[in-house]
Amino acid sequence: GAVVSQHPSRVICKSGTSVKIECRSLDFQATTMFWYRQFPKQSLMLMATSNEGSKATYEQGVEKDKFLINHASLTLSTLTVTSAHPEDSSFYICSARPGTMTGELFFGEGSRLTVL
Amino acid sequence: AQSVAQPEDQVNVAEGNPLTVKCTYSVSGNPYLFWYVQYPNRGLQFLLKYITGDNLVKGSYGFEAEFNKSQTSFHLKKPSALVSDSALYFCAVRDGSGGGADGLTFGKGTHLIIQP
């Protein structure tokens, strides 16, 4: 299957700082990528849809100024958690879909963010 | 709006026995259905999907799922469970008619525990 790479896998930061997470599609081009957040022992919550060359589409309740998404190329999307607080601590997972719209999503390995 | 229900938080099965992980869905258009597996602190791995055609879908690692339109179900099955199948399983849906979100909507997940 297609490969999606996510970096870093773990990051610890101080409250008030910003953290950037990268998501790359390694063997396909992705005009659209998706960012999910997963709380402990809970399901994945879609945060936003990242569109190459245009603004991201955020789900209801997700602060776009807090979670900045940039999709500058067909293989890279970044999520920046700005002015992070402890409540932003979570597991963030990106995904992308190659090919046709019927295809499955391929997921990165996730990024564990801990804000102290 | 689309939704997925996984009624069991946890399923316990003895090694070698058949397993079933239940999933029901709600979508206004044509359902595109997916099963994913997640190991601790990892991203999601694709198992199988139903888009159209044969209601019985075969996937990775010996798993299969049966699409039942009248019951709006897409239960995951395996004839003989392995200890290594122990993980968190997610059912997901997307509206194939284009009326819903492009990203997948996930169920809350089911912990599958295979006992030796």
Side-chain angles (χ1 to χ4, degrees):
Chain A
V3 180
V4 175
S5 174
Q6 196 171 334
H7 178 81
S9 58
R10 293 178 181 270
V11 57
I12 300 173
C13 70
K14 293 182 178 180
S15 184
T17 61
S18 295
V19 173
K20 180 184 287 187
I21 301 170
E22 293 186 346
C23 180
R24 296 180 184 273
S25 56
L26 296 187
D27 52 0
F28 66 97
Q29 292 184 331
T31 56
T32 304
M33 291 185 175
F34 304 91
W35 286 96
Y36 288 86
R37 182 174 180 176
Q38 186 178 28
F39 292 98
K41 299 184 179 180
Q42 293 192 28
S43 186
L44 285 78
M45 179 191 77
L46 179 64
M47 297 175 64
T49 301
S50 171
N51 304 299
E52 188 268 335
S54 64
K55 292 182 179 180
T57 304
Y58 290 82
E59 296 299 304
Q60 190 174 5
V62 178
E63 298 176 61
K64 61 181 181 181
D65 295 328
K66 158 69 81 173
F67 299 100
L68 299 179
I69 292 173
N70 183 275
H71 196 150
S73 77
L74 288 172
T75 59
L76 174 63
S77 175
T78 60
L79 169 68
T80 301
V81 183
T82 63
S83 186
H85 292 289
E87 57 265 30
D88 299 324
S89 298
S90 193
F91 194 55
Y92 294 89
I93 310 176
C94 72
S95 66
R97 176 186 298 117
T100 68
M101 289 293 291
T102 63
E104 60 272 27
L105 289 179
F106 290 90
F107 286 80
E109 287 294 294
S111 298
R112 173 74 60 191
L113 171 63
T114 302
V115 184
L116 302 177
Chain B
Q2 56 206 40
S3 64
V4 175
Q6 291 180 244
E8 304 151 316
D9 289 335
Q10 183 170 307
V11 171
N12 295 283
V13 177
E15 186 177 26
N17 284 0
L19 69 87
T20 299
V21 182
K22 296 180 180 177
C23 171
T24 58
Y25 66 90
S26 174
V27 67
S28 56
N30 296 324
Y32 289 178
L33 295 156
F34 305 83
W35 275 102
Y36 287 84
V37 61
Q38 185 182 32
Y39 296 96
N41 293 310
R42 303 292 295 278
L44 274 67
Q45 295 179 30
F46 170 74
L47 284 179
L48 50 80
K49 66 180 177 183
Y50 171 83
I51 303 299
T52 187
D54 194 347
N55 289 344
L56 183 63
V57 178
K58 294 187 182 297
S60 306
Y61 312 118
F63 283 93
E64 59 189 28
E66 186 165 12
F67 171 64
N68 188 315
K69 187 175 183 179
S70 63
Q71 297 184 6
T72 63
S73 66
F74 190 56
H75 301 330
L76 181 71
K77 300 181 179 184
K78 187 173 182 179
S80 179
L82 300 173
V83 173
S84 57
D85 293 329
S86 299
L88 181 59
Y89 290 80
F90 288 100
C91 181
V93 69
R94 192 170 91 242
D95 187 337
S97 304
D102 193 30
L104 297 181
T105 298
F106 286 85
K108 62 181 176 63
T110 299
H111 283 277
L112 177 62
I113 298 175
I114 308 301
Q115 296 152 335

